[in-house]
Amino acid sequence: MTQPKKGPSIKQKKLPKKVQEAIQKNQQGKKWGRQVKKNLARPELPQIKADEVFKDRDGKKHTFSESALKRVAAHLLQKNKKQWRYRNFSFPVVGHTGNEMEVTFDFYVYDSNETIVRVILVVPSESRELWDRLGLFKKQFPMYQHEVWTPEVMAELLEKSWLGY
């Protein structure tokens, strides 16, 4: 039998000084795992009056006095000349454990053939539960394209001249 070599193991070897300094410098500023944005400031969205009236594709009038985000979303859709409806229709979604949940979208965008092109959910912030439900929705209703509009997304869309569909 041969005996193992004497001497320092790989873990015990001395690294060059420059390498040690680089590792220390890198470990001080780096955090492992998912990085959270430090800038939590909300983007500036246009202030739309609570009594402003938006007309959907059927001519039905909506004011959205309860939600400033929905007013901005309706403004975006109207500005881009999209045919939309506001409906609180819930899609039943079956979870992984067999329990039934609901996914409720706010706006339904149509094309000229009266086919739903997009379903839009307006939320103040994203959450893991929201993305879990949307993942289940996507599996069970693959025919619908969905979008989640947060204040950050709406700020980006306001800068663009078109929505892309």
Side-chain angles (χ1 to χ4, degrees), residues 48-85:
I48 300 173
K49 296 176 189 172
D51 60 346
E52 186 164 340
V53 177
F54 300 97
K55 289 185 182 177
D56 67 4
R57 70 186 305 261
D58 301 328
K60 188 175 178 182
K61 296 178 182 180
H62 302 277
T63 57
F64 305 112
S65 58
E66 73 285 351
S67 174
L69 291 177
K70 289 180 185 176
R71 287 193 299 269
V72 173
H75 170 74
L76 265 167
L77 291 169
Q78 200 161 359
K79 179 184 104 172
N80 288 295
K81 297 181 175 111
K82 299 296 178 188
Q83 297 180 18
W84 57 274
R85 283 186 181 146

Side-chain angles (χ1 to χ4, degrees), residues 3-88:
Q3 298 221 351
K5 293 181 182 178
K6 299 276 181 170
S9 68
I10 295 174
K11 293 180 182 176
Q12 296 172 344
K13 283 185 182 177
K14 273 282 206 191
L15 296 173
K17 189 175 182 179
K18 286 183 179 180
V19 175
Q20 288 178 349
E21 289 173 1
I23 290 171
Q24 287 175 350
K25 187 177 180 182
N26 203 14
Q27 286 177 346
Q28 288 173 355
K30 189 169 186 176
K31 295 178 183 172
W32 299 100
R34 186 173 178 193
Q35 299 295 318
V36 178
K37 292 181 182 178
K38 292 182 181 178
N39 184 7
L40 297 176
R42 291 282 182 195
E44 289 293 322
L45 294 175
Q47 298 297 324
I48 300 173
K49 296 176 189 172
D51 60 346
E52 186 164 340
V53 177
F54 300 97
K55 289 185 182 177
D56 67 4
R57 70 186 305 261
D58 301 328
K60 188 175 178 182
K61 296 178 182 180
H62 302 277
T63 57
F64 305 112
S65 58
E66 73 285 351
S67 174
L69 291 177
K70 289 180 185 176
R71 287 193 299 269
V72 173
H75 170 74
L76 265 167
L77 291 169
Q78 200 161 359
K79 179 184 104 172
N80 288 295
K81 297 181 175 111
K82 299 296 178 188
Q83 297 180 18
W84 57 274
R85 283 186 181 146
Y86 175 75
R87 300 288 183 260
N88 282 334

Side-chain angles (χ1 to χ4, degrees), residues 34 36-46 68-69 72-73 76 121-127 130-131 147-160 163:
R34 186 173 178 193
V36 178
K37 292 181 182 178
K38 292 182 181 178
N39 184 7
L40 297 176
R42 291 282 182 195
E44 289 293 322
L45 294 175
L69 291 177
V72 173
L76 265 167
L121 178 63
V122 179
V123 292
S125 63
E126 298 174 357
S127 68
L130 170 73
W131 286 109
E147 292 184 8
V148 177
W149 284 8
T150 60
E152 294 82 10
V153 171
M154 286 192 270
E156 290 175 13
L157 292 174
L158 284 167
E159 293 174 6
K160 294 181 180 181
L163 293 178

Side-chain angles (χ1 to χ4, degrees), residues 89-93 101-105 108 121 130 132-134 136-137:
F89 174 75
S90 297
F91 287 92
V93 178
M101 299 180 273
E102 293 182 345
V103 180
T104 304
F105 290 95
Y108 296 80
L121 178 63
L130 170 73
D132 287 345
R133 285 182 186 219
L134 287 176
L136 292 170
F137 171 80

Side-chain angles (χ1 to χ4, degrees), residues 99-149:
N99 58 341
E100 190 172 303
M101 299 180 273
E102 293 182 345
V103 180
T104 304
F105 290 95
D106 298 308
F107 294 95
Y108 296 80
V109 182
Y110 294 82
D111 65 1
S112 59
N113 296 329
E114 295 191 19
T115 305
I116 295 177
V117 179
R118 292 277 194 283
V119 289
I120 300 171
L121 178 63
V122 179
V123 292
S125 63
E126 298 174 357
S127 68
R128 174 179 243 155
E129 179 185 329
L130 170 73
W131 286 109
D132 287 345
R133 285 182 186 219
L134 287 176
L136 292 170
F137 171 80
K138 189 173 183 177
K139 284 181 185 176
Q140 295 171 24
F141 296 96
M143 70 285 294
Y144 295 114
Q145 298 261 341
H146 68 278
E147 292 184 8
V148 177
W149 284 8

